């Protein structure tokens, strides 16, 4: 009896859908592949239109070289490409596309219409494709280049749609994809229109700083530092823009890296950038940068991922060290330049080609906003001043939000006016040293104020008064992605205390900010809240609100290495001891340590 074979050849339709699943995960994947083809066709203007987060329509129009009728038909066939001919070409790839899978994969899971006209041709050609099969063809007219319309994405693979995220999340992915290409190709003009709204538009004038200004705002663009370095080993060269340490973000999404012009997601390069900023940034904060790495094509393998998002380096250790050291050298040079990190002022002199075209601002060097120095001399551990001084001055709101006019009957005084504690001073400009009864308390100033701020903000929120109105609204420049997040999370932002209006472009005006939050911290906290918000996995409302208040308290609090006056230290200790939980910050970190007199005496061998 003959046994039927268990192995069989897949049908062309099933094979195409499997290939599409490897390349086309979501609408943003379609846009990425079409943009790469347009760039390889030497386009200088690319327009992207989407409807319903790309599921209803994705249209990409370019002014590239175009295709003739035969190329048009071949373009939707698997493994059809104009980029490589031999194994040698595969090892020396300089184009973005090369696999010959993108167009076939898109065509297999959509209804697609392609129109193309070559520059020298009198007329162009068009085809209509449904599920990978050509249903119609004809002659087309119009401008030279290629127009590709993708309708009803995943219409024949409904299971794929079930794994997509919300329209808001898919739009964010599309915006992020177009943003990366705009930052990587400043000589190309990009226009992204989403449901009739213009989201991103760049000029294509070749000045990357202008693109950075469009995406991140003029303040960051003015202060970006130009990096350029070469390494003999592996023939490496790096060039791009990095933000100074005071300008940072809450995640790695703003690290944009390109290898030989290809935007990639590479943990090695991200880790190298983060390592370069080590000790320059606060914990869990990340830099903003746009970096081009050039390396001989035969020193990398770009054929390790169907969507070409990942690459493999021949010598990862050398690449890591080169990228890290190149950035670190620039940062070190910047820190040695007086007043280098002054917002509104260009950091380094640039050539005419590199210089950004903004009016220059003048101003004094910005000091840390927490706390603002008063006329009183900061106190060190040698001060013998007691806290039970008379206080006849009017209440003064310092920059760290502490009211330094302490009430007569505070937590530091008993009924007979004997002080319960004595502030000795500040040590290492980070800790407050206190004598209390038979103990020495060492208070972490940041953790302590974070606790007091958190309790105040929680109380304000529960009482329905989370916000403080601003007499002069604060403007905040957002990225297109951040603007969409703001529109979709207004409920949480409002309950935390942010009230804002939308201005032109991606600018918002903050009309109110969380109560007790210093105004200079408002913009950074607003961006942090946006960065930490995920549409796909929204947490319970109260949990999310509490987490945002914790972040607000953290951003509002004084930091390590901020000098404090005696009044500020006294007030902070008062507020800490009066709080519901004076022993930990909202993150669970200790606010203070205790050392008893008996422990001192044991250490000095006074007692056994």
């Amino acid at each position: 009896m003959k046994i039927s074979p268990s192995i069989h050849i897949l049908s062309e339709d099933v094979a195409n859908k499997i290939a599409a699943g490897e390349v086309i995960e979501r609408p943003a994947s379609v846009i990425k592949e079409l943009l790469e083809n347009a760039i390889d066709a030497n386009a200088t203007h690319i327009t992207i239109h989407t409807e319903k987060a790309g599921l209803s329509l994705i249209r990409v129009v370019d002014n590239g070289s175009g295709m003739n009728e035969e190329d048009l038909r071949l373009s939707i066939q698997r493994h059809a490409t104009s980029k490589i001919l031999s194994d040698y070409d595969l090892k020396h790839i300089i184009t973005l596309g090369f696999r010959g899978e993108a167009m076939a994969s898109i065509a297999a899971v959509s209804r697609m219409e392609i129109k193309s006209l070559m520059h020298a041709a009198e007329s162009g050609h068009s085809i209509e494709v449904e599920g990978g099969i050509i249903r119609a063809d004809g002659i087309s007219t119009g401008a030279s280049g290629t127009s590709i319309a993708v309708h009803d994405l995943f219409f024949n693979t409904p299971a794929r749609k079930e794994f997509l995220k919300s329209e808001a999340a898919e739009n964010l992915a599309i915006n992020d994809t177009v943003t990366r290409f705009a930052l990587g190709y400043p000589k190309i003009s990009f226009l992204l229109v989403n449901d009739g709204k213009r989201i991103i538009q760049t000029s294509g004038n070749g000045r990357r700083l202008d693109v950075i200004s469009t995406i991140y705002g003029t303040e960051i663009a003015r202060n970006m530092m130009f990096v350029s370095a070469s390494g003999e080993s592996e023939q490496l060269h790096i060039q791009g823009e990095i933000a100074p340490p005071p300008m940072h973000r809450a995640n790695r999404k703003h690290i944009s890296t390109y290898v030989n012009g290809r935007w990639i997601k590479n943990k090695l390069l991200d880790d190298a950038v983060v390592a370069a900023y080590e000790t320059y940034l606060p914990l869990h904060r990340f830099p903003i940068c746009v970096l081009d790495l050039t390396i001989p094509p035969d020193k990398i393998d770009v054929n390790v991922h169907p969507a070409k998002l990942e690459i493999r380096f021949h010598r990862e250790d050398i690449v890591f060290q080169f990228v890290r050291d190149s950035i670190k050298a620039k940062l070190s040079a910047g820190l040695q330049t007086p007043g280098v990190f002054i917002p509104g002022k260009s950091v380094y002199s640039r050539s005419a080609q590199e210089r950004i075209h903004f009016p220059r601002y003048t101003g004094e060097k910005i000091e840390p906003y927490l706390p603002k120095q008063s006329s009183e001399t900061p106190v060190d551990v040698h001060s013998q001043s007691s806290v039970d001084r008379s206080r006849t001055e009017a209440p003064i709101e310092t920059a760290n939000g502490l009211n330094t006019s302490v009430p007569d009957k505070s937590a530091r005084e008993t009924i007979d006016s004997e002080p319960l504690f004595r502030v000795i001073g500040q040590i290492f400009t980070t800790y407050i040293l206190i004598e209390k009864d038979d103990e020495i308390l060492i208070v972490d100033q940041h953790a302590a104020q974070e606790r007091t701020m958190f309790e105040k903000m929680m109380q304000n929120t529960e009482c329905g008064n989370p916000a403080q109105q601003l007499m002069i609204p604060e403007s905040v420049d957002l990225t297109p992605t951040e603007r969409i997040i703001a529109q979709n999370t207004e409920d949480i932002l409002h309950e935390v205390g942010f009230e804002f209006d939308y201005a032109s472009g991606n600018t918002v005006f903050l009309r109110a900010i969380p109560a007790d939050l210093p105004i200079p911290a408002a913009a950074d906290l607003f961006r942090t809240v946006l960065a930490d918000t995920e549409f796909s996995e929204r947490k319970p409302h109260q949990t999310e609100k509490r987490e945002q208040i914790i972040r607000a308290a953290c951003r509002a609090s004084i930091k390590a290495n901020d000098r404090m006056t005696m009044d500020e230290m006294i007030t902070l200790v008062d507020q800490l001891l009066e709080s519901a939980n004076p022993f930990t910050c909202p993150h669970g970190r200790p606010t203070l340590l205790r050392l008893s007199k008996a422990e001192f005496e044991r250490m000095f061998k006074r007692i056994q």
Side-chain angles (χ1 to χ4, degrees):
M1 178 180 176
K2 186 177 180 180
I3 300 175
S4 301
S6 58
I7 298 176
H8 59 277
I9 305 298
L10 290 173
S11 68
E12 187 71 14
D13 177 60
V14 174
N16 283 340
K17 288 179 180 178
I18 292 174
E22 294 176 341
V23 179
I24 307 302
E25 298 180 58
R26 59 199 310 186
S29 305
V30 174
I31 291 175
K32 173 187 175 295
E33 298 294 344
L34 296 182
L35 289 181
E36 287 182 344
N37 285 343
I39 292 170
D40 282 342
N42 299 314
T44 58
H45 296 277
I46 304 176
T47 301
I48 309 102
H49 287 266
T50 65
E51 293 179 7
K52 295 188 180 300
L55 290 176
S56 176
L57 171 67
I58 296 171
R59 177 179 285 112
V60 176
V61 181
D62 68 66
N63 66 341
S65 55
M67 294 178 283
N68 61 28
E69 183 178 8
E70 184 177 0
D71 287 340
L72 199 60
R73 292 175 173 274
L74 286 172
S75 68
I76 62 167
Q77 302 299 314
R78 288 189 67 196
H79 310 308
T81 179
S82 62
K83 313 299 173 60
I84 59 174
L85 293 175
S86 66
D87 177 66
Y88 175 86
D89 295 329
L90 190 61
K91 295 177 181 178
H92 297 80
I93 292 171
I94 58 174
T95 55
L96 298 181
F98 59 90
R99 285 173 171 261
E101 293 178 345
M103 293 291 286
S105 296
I106 298 169
V109 293
S110 70
R111 297 183 175 94
M112 186 164 66
E113 180 184 7
I114 311 175
K115 298 179 180 179
S116 194
L117 173 64
M118 301 184 71
H119 288 291
E122 294 182 359
S123 62
H125 300 272
S126 67
I127 59 172
E128 295 180 13
V129 187
E130 181 176 330
I133 300 173
I134 296 177
R135 300 296 188 187
D137 59 13
I139 302 297
S140 69
T141 59
S144 59
T146 301
S147 172
I148 300 177
V150 179
H151 300 273
D152 305 325
L153 186 63
F154 303 133
F155 80 97
N156 56 353
T157 54
R160 180 63 52 81
K161 282 188 177 182
E162 295 179 5
F163 287 92
L164 293 177
K165 298 179 181 179
S166 65
E167 280 194 20
E170 295 301 330
N171 274 328
L172 289 179
I174 291 170
N175 295 346
D176 183 62
T177 297
V178 177
T179 293
R180 306 288 183 172
F181 278 94
L183 289 169
Y185 292 88
K187 292 183 179 180
I188 299 176
S189 172
F190 290 88
L191 172 63
L192 170 62
V193 179
N194 178 12
D195 291 328
K197 297 179 182 178
R198 184 171 299 183
I199 306 298
I200 298 172
Q201 183 171 16
T202 63
S203 65
N205 62 12
R207 292 194 292 265
R208 177 173 280 162
L209 287 176
D210 286 356
V211 181
I212 292 174
S213 175
T214 298
I215 302 301
Y216 291 109
T218 57
E219 194 66 30
I220 287 178
R222 286 192 190 98
N223 286 277
M224 295 297 277
M225 300 185 292
F226 181 69
V227 174
S228 181
S230 297
E232 293 183 5
S233 181
E234 298 292 287
Q235 298 174 268
L236 295 168
H237 179 73
I238 192 170
Q239 181 172 300
E241 304 285 345
I242 63 174
M247 295 178 170
H248 46 71
R249 291 293 186 265
N251 54 48
R252 297 185 179 212
K253 292 181 180 179
H254 304 279
I255 300 175
S256 298
T257 54
Y258 306 81
V259 177
N260 293 349
R262 182 188 305 277
W263 165 48
I264 62 166
K265 297 178 181 178
N266 186 273
K267 189 174 185 300
L268 173 80
L269 294 182
D270 285 358
D271 287 346
V273 173
V274 172
Y277 276 84
E278 196 171 34
T279 74
Y280 291 107
L281 294 182
L283 192 63
H284 305 311
R285 303 295 292 186
F286 300 93
I288 304 168
C289 66
V290 184
L291 296 168
D292 291 306
L293 181 67
T294 303
I295 184 172
D298 60 347
K299 300 290 185 181
I300 58 175
D301 183 1
V302 299
N303 194 26
V304 296
H305 190 278
K308 307 180 295 295
L309 275 172
E310 300 174 7
I311 66 171
R312 183 180 294 121
F313 292 99
H314 178 249
R315 289 293 306 274
E316 290 189 344
D317 55 338
I318 292 177
V319 173
F320 179 92
Q321 183 176 345
F322 170 72
V323 173
R324 180 198 61 193
D325 293 350
S326 299
I327 298 173
K328 184 174 288 187
K330 191 64 176 183
L331 290 172
S332 298
L335 291 178
Q336 293 169 6
T337 305
V340 66
F341 299 135
I342 302 176
K345 198 170 185 179
S346 294
V347 178
Y348 291 100
S349 59
R350 299 171 177 266
S351 67
Q353 290 76 22
E354 297 166 353
R355 193 173 300 121
I356 192 167
H357 295 275
F358 293 123
R360 285 179 172 250
Y361 288 77
T362 59
E364 297 299 322
K365 182 176 179 180
I366 304 299
E367 298 295 335
Y369 64 83
L370 296 174
K372 185 177 180 181
Q373 287 290 349
S374 71
S375 58
E376 181 176 322
T377 304
V379 182
D380 58 24
V381 295
H382 302 292
S383 171
Q384 298 298 318
S385 300
S386 177
V387 298
D388 54 348
R389 293 173 293 180
S390 62
R391 303 178 183 278
T392 58
E393 67 272 22
I396 299 173
E397 190 75 5
T398 63
N400 58 24
L402 298 176
N403 186 333
T404 60
S405 181
V406 182
D408 290 336
K409 298 298 180 184
S410 69
R412 65 184 174 81
E413 291 181 342
T414 61
I415 295 176
D416 58 359
S417 296
E418 286 294 323
L420 287 175
F421 64 84
R422 182 168 69 92
V423 173
I424 298 173
Q426 188 184 30
I427 56 176
F428 310 125
T429 58
T430 300
Y431 307 98
I432 301 171
L433 197 61
I434 302 161
E435 180 184 353
K436 181 180 183 295
D437 300 327
D438 289 331
E439 295 178 321
I440 287 291
L441 303 182
I442 305 173
V443 174
D444 182 324
Q445 63 193 39
H446 172 71
Q449 195 177 22
E450 192 176 11
R451 162 55 58 183
T452 61
M453 282 283 185
F454 170 73
E455 291 191 2
K456 278 194 259 182
M457 290 179 177
M458 281 296 291
Q459 185 178 12
N460 291 335
T461 301
E462 290 168 357
C463 294
N465 299 308
Q468 54 178 324
Q469 299 296 318
L470 300 180
M471 293 182 64
I472 302 176
E474 283 280 301
S475 66
V476 182
D477 291 321
L478 304 178
T479 66
T481 296
E482 288 171 336
R483 181 186 174 100
I484 291 178
I485 295 176
Q487 292 171 337
N488 286 277
T489 56
E490 287 187 4
D491 55 339
I492 290 294
L493 290 165
H494 181 75
E495 289 203 27
V496 171
F498 284 110
E499 297 175 14
F500 55 97
D501 296 317
Y502 298 98
S504 59
N506 298 311
T507 300
V508 298
F509 286 101
L510 301 181
R511 293 185 287 103
I513 62 176
D516 299 305
L517 180 71
I519 293 175
D524 188 47
L525 173 63
F526 189 77
R527 292 193 189 95
T528 300
V529 173
L530 297 180
D532 290 339
T533 302
E534 294 289 341
F535 291 103
S536 57
E537 298 180 2
R538 288 291 292 271
K539 300 174 183 177
H541 190 78
Q542 289 300 322
T543 300
E544 189 170 21
K545 181 170 67 174
R546 179 185 177 89
E547 289 181 357
Q548 301 303 354
I549 291 174
I550 289 175
R551 293 187 184 95
C554 182
R555 301 306 300 165
S557 300
I558 57 178
K559 306 298 186 291
N561 299 317
D562 284 344
R563 294 178 67 83
M564 299 183 70
T565 65
M566 178 61 78
D567 281 349
E568 289 169 340
M569 287 186 279
I570 293 169
T571 305
L572 178 56
V573 175
D574 264 337
Q575 294 175 349
L576 178 66
L577 296 182
E578 290 176 340
S579 62
N581 176 15
F583 304 111
T584 64
C585 76
H587 300 100
R589 197 165 61 82
T591 59
L592 56 86
L593 300 176
R594 299 186 181 195
L595 195 60
S596 68
K597 181 179 179 181
E599 289 170 319
F600 265 101
E601 291 180 337
R602 285 193 190 95
M603 287 188 289
F604 284 101
K605 308 300 181 183
R606 287 179 174 268
I607 61 175
Q608 296 300 318

